[in-house]
PDB file of all heavy atoms in Angstrom:
ATOM      1  N   LEU A1000      11.001  42.344 -27.551  1.00 97.00           N
ATOM      2  CA  LEU A1000       9.624  42.203 -28.003  1.00 97.00           C
ATOM      3  C   LEU A1000       9.562  41.728 -29.448  1.00 97.00           C
ATOM      4  O   LEU A1000       8.795  40.812 -29.784  1.00 97.00           O
ATOM      5  CB  LEU A1000       8.890  43.541 -27.850  1.00 97.00           C
ATOM      6  CG  LEU A1000       7.469  43.606 -28.421  1.00 97.00           C
ATOM      7  CD1 LEU A1000       6.573  42.574 -27.758  1.00 97.00           C
ATOM      8  CD2 LEU A1000       6.889  45.009 -28.252  1.00 97.00           C
ATOM      9  N   LEU A1228     -27.920  56.867 -39.035  1.00 97.00           N
ATOM     10  CA  LEU A1228     -27.920  55.814 -40.060  1.00 97.00           C
ATOM     11  C   LEU A1228     -27.769  56.520 -41.399  1.00 97.00           C
ATOM     12  O   LEU A1228     -28.738  56.815 -42.084  1.00 97.00           O
ATOM     13  CB  LEU A1228     -29.211  55.013 -39.959  1.00 97.00           C
ATOM     14  CG  LEU A1228     -29.510  54.468 -38.550  1.00 97.00           C
ATOM     15  CD1 LEU A1228     -30.812  53.686 -38.533  1.00 97.00           C
ATOM     16  CD2 LEU A1228     -28.359  53.616 -38.024  1.00 97.00           C
ATOM     17  N   SER A1323     -33.533  76.368 -51.403  1.00 82.00           N
ATOM     18  CA  SER A1323     -32.136  76.601 -51.799  1.00 82.00           C
ATOM     19  C   SER A1323     -31.863  76.225 -53.251  1.00 82.00           C
ATOM     20  O   SER A1323     -30.713  76.114 -53.658  1.00 82.00           O
ATOM     21  CB  SER A1323     -31.197  75.804 -50.885  1.00 82.00           C
ATOM     22  OG  SER A1323     -31.357  76.173 -49.538  1.00 82.00           O
ATOM     23  N   ILE A1438     -47.433  50.022 -24.773  1.00 96.00           N
ATOM     24  CA  ILE A1438     -46.888  51.057 -25.651  1.00 96.00           C
ATOM     25  C   ILE A1438     -45.691  51.723 -24.977  1.00 96.00           C
ATOM     26  O   ILE A1438     -45.634  51.871 -23.760  1.00 96.00           O
ATOM     27  CB  ILE A1438     -47.988  52.087 -25.965  1.00 96.00           C
ATOM     28  CG1 ILE A1438     -49.108  51.409 -26.774  1.00 96.00           C
ATOM     29  CG2 ILE A1438     -47.444  53.274 -26.740  1.00 96.00           C
ATOM     30  CD1 ILE A1438     -50.344  52.258 -26.928  1.00 96.00           C
ATOM     31  N   ALA A1447     -37.517  48.396 -14.567  1.00 96.00           N
ATOM     32  CA  ALA A1447     -37.037  49.781 -14.662  1.00 96.00           C
ATOM     33  C   ALA A1447     -36.596  50.298 -13.302  1.00 96.00           C
ATOM     34  O   ALA A1447     -35.592  51.019 -13.183  1.00 96.00           O
ATOM     35  CB  ALA A1447     -38.136  50.666 -15.244  1.00 96.00           C
ATOM     36  N   LEU A1656     -22.530  82.352 -32.565  1.00 96.00           N
ATOM     37  CA  LEU A1656     -22.174  83.726 -32.210  1.00 96.00           C
ATOM     38  C   LEU A1656     -23.371  84.389 -31.546  1.00 96.00           C
ATOM     39  O   LEU A1656     -24.461  84.453 -32.124  1.00 96.00           O
ATOM     40  CB  LEU A1656     -21.769  84.531 -33.446  1.00 96.00           C
ATOM     41  CG  LEU A1656     -21.588  86.046 -33.226  1.00 96.00           C
ATOM     42  CD1 LEU A1656     -20.451  86.326 -32.249  1.00 96.00           C
ATOM     43  CD2 LEU A1656     -21.354  86.758 -34.545  1.00 96.00           C
TER      44      LEU A1656
END
Side-chain angles (χ1 to χ4, degrees):
L1000 174 60
L1228 307 180
S1323 301
I1438 295 170
L1656 171 63

